[in-house]
Amino acid sequence: MSRESHKVVPFPDNDERHVQLGQAALRAGEFSQAVAHFQAAYRDQHTFAVNRQMIEAMLHAGQASEAVPYAEEFIEGYARTLTDGLLYGQLLIESHRFLAAQEWLVNLQDLAHSPEDQARLAELTDVFTNQQERYLAANQAGQAALIKQFAGLAGVNTMEQTMRINQLAQLPVPTFDQIAPRLMIDEFISQGLRNTVALHYVTLRETAPRRLLWFDDVITFTPNAVGNPFDNPVADAWQRVVTAAENDNPEQALILDQELHLYMLLLFPRLTDVVADPAAWAQVVSARIADPAAPITAAPKIKRWLTRLDDALNALNQ
């Protein structure tokens, strides 16, 4: 037999072949191999279908923490169905992002329609509870140190405050509950950061009243009664202005979008109370960005709030 007849013809090295090999490895329990194949496919085939299979393989391979940033690239995909949502929830639990996991499980309640769905969600909720309890028992000293660090948050610069508050989602829920109430009324933390903490309670749909220092006043609000600051008539009106600006000046539209989102965050949880005319408010901010020297508005209330918000923005950037 000739050498030519023994020549091995390799499979084509393409994305689909990597997906097939990844699926076979996943079924065989060869999780590290499955991860390698799915990652090779994902480099060029950047889709939710490949992402989901890669995340499942990484979860089984013990790479939950490394998988979270990948999953977040298609977070809307994981929010569409209960099955996909449970996978992402398990990923958060295994990576010890407990507050984020609890928030995610709360939101999954809207997708659990049948008794079977509710049972599946309850099962993962039990996993969450058990994992969090074990983590807390094994990390008591570390949690005490974290609580102490957050107690001194007013004494560090804004960048450090922002970094630490952005890490709240990784805390166990009981630890967060010890830290958050003090942060929400700390006058040495900017309004935007205080609101970021308060938004966690809204996402958790808490029914117990909470206190928040809101500019000059301490207000009491009930988290589950507060609407999403990014899903209401104010946000809708502002988004229309941003969309209109994209045609004429894309760079200005990007700045406008970022600043309006920051205003929405700063105004939480009094957004709809303060912005009685969403369209007018959006035009005010748009005009201010387009020509900061031009008169912003004749409405005293809007002028007053814009000044206060500018002060808060300046504090965030210090």
Side-chain angles (χ1 to χ4, degrees):
M1 190 175 290
S2 69
R3 286 171 58 88
E4 198 65 30
S5 63
H6 282 85
K7 190 174 182 179
V8 176
V9 180
F11 284 106
D13 186 15
N14 56 31
D15 301 337
E16 189 56 39
R17 183 59 181 162
H18 277 301
V19 170
Q20 293 171 0
L21 291 171
Q23 292 170 342
L26 190 60
R27 288 192 297 270
E30 301 291 343
F31 302 125
S32 295
Q33 290 184 24
V35 170
H37 284 299
F38 286 131
Q39 286 181 336
Y42 190 64
R43 280 193 285 269
D44 296 315
Q45 195 173 330
H46 203 77
T47 65
F48 175 65
V50 177
N51 181 284
R52 192 198 184 287
Q53 294 176 91
M54 179 177 67
I55 295 306
E56 185 176 356
M58 293 180 77
L59 184 61
H60 286 297
Q63 301 176 22
S65 295
E66 296 89 339
V68 171
Y70 287 113
E72 289 175 344
E73 294 176 7
F74 284 93
I75 193 64
E76 292 183 357
Y78 289 99
R80 290 194 190 108
T81 70
L82 182 64
T83 298
D84 293 334
L86 291 173
L87 175 63
Y88 183 66
Q90 187 176 356
L91 189 68
L92 293 174
I93 294 168
E94 294 297 332
S95 59
H96 297 158
R97 288 166 165 80
F98 291 112
L99 180 62
Q102 177 71 357
E103 293 174 341
W104 187 257
L105 291 173
V106 168
N107 286 328
L108 286 184
Q109 294 173 5
D110 297 334
L111 298 176
H113 304 298
S114 68
E116 180 184 356
D117 288 344
Q118 293 166 8
R120 294 167 64 200
L121 179 56
E123 182 178 359
L124 186 60
T125 302
D126 288 341
V127 171
F128 163 79
T129 301
N130 293 333
Q131 288 255 31
Q132 181 175 248
E133 287 178 352
R134 288 197 295 269
Y135 181 84
L136 283 168
N139 293 274
Q140 293 181 15
Q143 296 306 298
L146 277 173
I147 292 170
K148 186 175 181 179
Q149 287 179 10
F150 276 94
L153 202 59
V156 300
N157 61 42
T158 303
M159 184 176 296
E160 180 75 11
Q161 290 178 354
T162 303
M163 183 188 71
R164 292 191 190 176
I165 286 178
N166 286 339
Q167 295 172 345
L168 286 173
Q170 301 177 28
L171 297 179
V173 178
T175 305
F176 172 78
D177 279 335
Q178 293 186 60
I179 291 170
R182 180 183 298 176
L183 294 179
M184 290 194 297
I185 57 172
D186 193 328
E187 63 180 316
F188 296 106
I189 295 176
S190 71
Q191 187 63 57
L193 294 179
R194 289 197 298 265
N195 288 353
T196 298
V197 179
L199 276 167
H200 283 293
Y201 281 122
V202 174
T203 307
L204 290 169
R205 301 182 189 177
E206 281 227 347
T207 57
R210 295 288 175 179
R211 296 170 68 242
L212 173 68
L213 177 58
W214 201 78
F215 291 101
D216 300 329
D217 305 313
V218 175
I219 64 170
T220 300
F221 71 102
T222 304
N224 72 336
V226 175
N228 184 340
F230 304 107
D231 182 16
N232 52 53
V234 179
D236 292 342
W238 288 350
Q239 189 56 51
R240 285 194 292 271
V241 173
V242 172
T243 302
E246 287 175 346
N247 297 324
D248 301 326
N249 191 333
E251 184 177 353
Q252 180 180 324
L254 177 61
I255 296 172
L256 179 62
D257 183 57
Q258 293 172 338
E259 188 153 356
L260 289 178
H261 274 74
L262 185 53
Y263 283 153
M264 283 187 275
L265 177 62
L266 288 170
L267 281 170
F268 168 86
R270 292 285 182 85
L271 179 65
T272 53
D273 295 339
V274 172
V275 186
D277 189 340
W281 182 266
Q283 291 295 340
V284 165
V285 180
S286 180
R288 172 184 174 278
I289 293 173
D291 185 2
I296 54 173
T297 181
K301 184 173 183 179
I302 291 182
K303 289 176 67 176
R304 182 170 66 252
W305 279 108
L306 190 56
T307 299
R308 296 179 74 176
L309 288 170
D310 280 343
D311 290 343
L313 282 170
N314 290 333
L316 282 173
N317 292 325
Q318 288 178 356

Short mmCIF file of all heavy atoms in Angstrom, two decimals, residues 232-258:
data_model
loop_
_atom_site.label_atom_id
_atom_site.label_comp_id
_atom_site.label_asym_id
_atom_site.label_seq_id
_atom_site.Cartn_x
_atom_site.Cartn_y
_atom_site.Cartn_z
N ASN A 232 -39.11 53.84 32.55
CA ASN A 232 -40.27 54.66 32.91
C ASN A 232 -40.42 55.77 31.87
O ASN A 232 -39.60 55.88 30.95
CB ASN A 232 -40.07 55.26 34.32
CG ASN A 232 -38.73 55.97 34.44
OD1 ASN A 232 -38.41 56.84 33.64
ND2 ASN A 232 -37.94 55.60 35.45
N PRO A 233 -41.46 56.60 31.97
CA PRO A 233 -41.67 57.64 30.96
C PRO A 233 -40.52 58.63 30.84
O PRO A 233 -40.26 59.15 29.76
CB PRO A 233 -42.94 58.34 31.45
CG PRO A 233 -43.67 57.30 32.24
CD PRO A 233 -42.60 56.49 32.90
N VAL A 234 -39.82 58.89 31.95
CA VAL A 234 -38.68 59.81 31.90
C VAL A 234 -37.58 59.23 31.02
O VAL A 234 -37.06 59.89 30.10
CB VAL A 234 -38.15 60.09 33.31
CG1 VAL A 234 -36.95 61.02 33.25
CG2 VAL A 234 -39.24 60.70 34.18
N ALA A 235 -37.24 57.98 31.27
CA ALA A 235 -36.20 57.33 30.47
C ALA A 235 -36.61 57.24 29.00
O ALA A 235 -35.78 57.42 28.10
CB ALA A 235 -35.90 55.95 31.03
N ASP A 236 -37.88 56.97 28.75
CA ASP A 236 -38.36 56.87 27.37
C ASP A 236 -38.19 58.19 26.63
O ASP A 236 -37.75 58.23 25.48
CB ASP A 236 -39.82 56.44 27.36
CG ASP A 236 -40.01 55.01 27.85
OD1 ASP A 236 -39.02 54.26 27.88
OD2 ASP A 236 -41.15 54.66 28.21
N ALA A 237 -38.56 59.29 27.29
CA ALA A 237 -38.45 60.61 26.65
C ALA A 237 -37.01 60.96 26.37
O ALA A 237 -36.66 61.47 25.29
CB ALA A 237 -39.09 61.67 27.54
N TRP A 238 -36.14 60.68 27.31
CA TRP A 238 -34.73 60.98 27.11
C TRP A 238 -34.13 60.15 25.99
O TRP A 238 -33.31 60.62 25.21
CB TRP A 238 -33.96 60.77 28.42
CG TRP A 238 -34.26 61.85 29.43
CD1 TRP A 238 -34.94 63.00 29.19
CD2 TRP A 238 -33.87 61.87 30.79
NE1 TRP A 238 -35.00 63.74 30.35
CE2 TRP A 238 -34.35 63.07 31.35
CE3 TRP A 238 -33.16 61.00 31.61
CZ2 TRP A 238 -34.15 63.42 32.67
CZ3 TRP A 238 -32.96 61.34 32.93
CH2 TRP A 238 -33.45 62.54 33.45
N GLN A 239 -34.57 58.88 25.91
CA GLN A 239 -34.02 58.02 24.87
C GLN A 239 -34.41 58.51 23.48
O GLN A 239 -33.64 58.39 22.53
CB GLN A 239 -34.49 56.57 25.07
CG GLN A 239 -33.80 55.57 24.16
CD GLN A 239 -32.29 55.61 24.31
OE1 GLN A 239 -31.75 55.54 25.41
NE2 GLN A 239 -31.56 55.75 23.19
N ARG A 240 -35.59 59.09 23.36
CA ARG A 240 -36.01 59.64 22.06
C ARG A 240 -35.10 60.80 21.65
O ARG A 240 -34.75 60.94 20.47
CB ARG A 240 -37.47 60.10 22.14
CG ARG A 240 -38.47 58.95 22.12
CD ARG A 240 -39.87 59.45 21.86
NE ARG A 240 -40.40 60.24 22.95
CZ ARG A 240 -41.05 59.73 23.98
NH1 ARG A 240 -41.25 58.41 24.06
NH2 ARG A 240 -41.51 60.51 24.96
N VAL A 241 -34.69 61.62 22.61
CA VAL A 241 -33.78 62.72 22.30
C VAL A 241 -32.42 62.19 21.88
O VAL A 241 -31.80 62.68 20.92
CB VAL A 241 -33.65 63.65 23.53
CG1 VAL A 241 -32.57 64.70 23.29
CG2 VAL A 241 -34.98 64.32 23.83
N VAL A 242 -31.95 61.16 22.57
CA VAL A 242 -30.67 60.56 22.22
C VAL A 242 -30.72 59.98 20.81
O VAL A 242 -29.81 60.18 19.99
CB VAL A 242 -30.29 59.46 23.22
CG1 VAL A 242 -29.05 58.70 22.75
CG2 VAL A 242 -30.04 60.06 24.60
N THR A 243 -31.78 59.27 20.49
CA THR A 243 -31.93 58.66 19.17
C THR A 243 -31.94 59.72 18.08
O THR A 243 -31.32 59.55 17.02
CB THR A 243 -33.22 57.82 19.11
OG1 THR A 243 -33.16 56.81 20.14
CG2 THR A 243 -33.37 57.15 17.75
N ALA A 244 -32.65 60.82 18.33
CA ALA A 244 -32.71 61.90 17.35
C ALA A 244 -31.33 62.53 17.13
O ALA A 244 -30.97 62.89 16.00
CB ALA A 244 -33.70 62.97 17.79
N ALA A 245 -30.55 62.64 18.19
CA ALA A 245 -29.23 63.25 18.08
C ALA A 245 -28.24 62.36 17.34
O ALA A 245 -27.26 62.85 16.78
CB ALA A 245 -28.69 63.59 19.47
N GLU A 246 -28.48 61.05 17.34
CA GLU A 246 -27.54 60.12 16.71
C GLU A 246 -27.38 60.39 15.22
O GLU A 246 -26.32 60.15 14.65
CB GLU A 246 -28.00 58.68 16.94
CG GLU A 246 -27.77 58.20 18.37
CD GLU A 246 -28.35 56.82 18.61
OE1 GLU A 246 -29.15 56.36 17.76
OE2 GLU A 246 -28.01 56.20 19.63
N ASN A 247 -28.42 60.89 14.58
CA ASN A 247 -28.35 61.14 13.13
C ASN A 247 -27.46 62.34 12.81
O ASN A 247 -26.73 62.32 11.82
CB ASN A 247 -29.75 61.37 12.56
CG ASN A 247 -30.63 60.14 12.72
OD1 ASN A 247 -30.14 59.02 12.62
ND2 ASN A 247 -31.91 60.35 12.99
N ASP A 248 -27.53 63.38 13.63
CA ASP A 248 -26.80 64.62 13.34
C ASP A 248 -25.41 64.66 13.95
O ASP A 248 -24.47 65.18 13.35
CB ASP A 248 -27.61 65.83 13.84
CG ASP A 248 -28.98 65.92 13.19
OD1 ASP A 248 -29.08 65.55 12.01
OD2 ASP A 248 -29.92 66.33 13.88
N ASN A 249 -25.30 64.11 15.16
CA ASN A 249 -24.02 64.22 15.87
C ASN A 249 -23.85 63.01 16.78
O ASN A 249 -24.19 63.06 17.97
CB ASN A 249 -23.98 65.52 16.67
CG ASN A 249 -22.58 65.82 17.20
OD1 ASN A 249 -21.80 64.91 17.43
ND2 ASN A 249 -22.30 67.10 17.40
N PRO A 250 -23.32 61.90 16.26
CA PRO A 250 -23.20 60.67 17.06
C PRO A 250 -22.38 60.87 18.33
O PRO A 250 -22.71 60.29 19.38
CB PRO A 250 -22.51 59.70 16.11
CG PRO A 250 -22.84 60.20 14.74
CD PRO A 250 -22.90 61.70 14.87
N GLU A 251 -21.32 61.67 18.27
CA GLU A 251 -20.49 61.89 19.45
C GLU A 251 -21.29 62.60 20.54
O GLU A 251 -21.23 62.24 21.72
CB GLU A 251 -19.26 62.71 19.08
CG GLU A 251 -18.30 62.90 20.25
CD GLU A 251 -17.05 63.65 19.85
OE1 GLU A 251 -16.86 63.91 18.64
OE2 GLU A 251 -16.26 63.98 20.74
N GLN A 252 -22.05 63.62 20.14
CA GLN A 252 -22.88 64.32 21.12
C GLN A 252 -23.96 63.39 21.68
O GLN A 252 -24.30 63.46 22.86
CB GLN A 252 -23.54 65.54 20.47
CG GLN A 252 -24.42 66.32 21.45
CD GLN A 252 -25.07 67.53 20.77
OE1 GLN A 252 -24.46 68.16 19.92
NE2 GLN A 252 -26.29 67.83 21.15
N ALA A 253 -24.49 62.53 20.81
CA ALA A 253 -25.52 61.59 21.26
C ALA A 253 -24.98 60.66 22.34
O ALA A 253 -25.67 60.35 23.32
CB ALA A 253 -26.05 60.79 20.08
N LEU A 254 -23.73 60.22 22.18
CA LEU A 254 -23.13 59.34 23.18
C LEU A 254 -22.97 60.07 24.51
O LEU A 254 -23.30 59.52 25.57
CB LEU A 254 -21.76 58.85 22.68
CG LEU A 254 -20.98 57.96 23.66
CD1 LEU A 254 -21.76 56.70 23.97
CD2 LEU A 254 -19.61 57.62 23.07
N ILE A 255 -22.48 61.30 24.46
CA ILE A 255 -22.33 62.10 25.68
C ILE A 255 -23.69 62.31 26.33
O ILE A 255 -23.85 62.19 27.55
CB ILE A 255 -21.66 63.45 25.37
CG1 ILE A 255 -20.24 63.23 24.84
CG2 ILE A 255 -21.63 64.34 26.62
CD1 ILE A 255 -19.59 64.49 24.33
N LEU A 256 -24.67 62.64 25.51
CA LEU A 256 -26.02 62.88 26.01
C LEU A 256 -26.58 61.63 26.69
O LEU A 256 -27.15 61.71 27.78
CB LEU A 256 -26.93 63.30 24.85
CG LEU A 256 -28.40 63.59 25.16
CD1 LEU A 256 -28.53 64.74 26.13
CD2 LEU A 256 -29.16 63.90 23.87
N ASP A 257 -26.39 60.49 26.05
CA ASP A 257 -26.90 59.24 26.61
C ASP A 257 -26.24 58.95 27.96
O ASP A 257 -26.92 58.58 28.93
CB ASP A 257 -26.62 58.10 25.63
CG ASP A 257 -27.18 56.78 26.12
OD1 ASP A 257 -28.39 56.70 26.38
OD2 ASP A 257 -26.41 55.81 26.24
N GLN A 258 -24.94 59.12 28.04
CA GLN A 258 -24.23 58.85 29.30
C GLN A 258 -24.66 59.80 30.41
O GLN A 258 -24.88 59.39 31.55
CB GLN A 258 -22.72 58.97 29.06
CG GLN A 258 -22.16 57.89 28.15
CD GLN A 258 -20.72 58.13 27.77
OE1 GLN A 258 -20.23 59.25 27.82
NE2 GLN A 258 -20.03 57.08 27.36
#
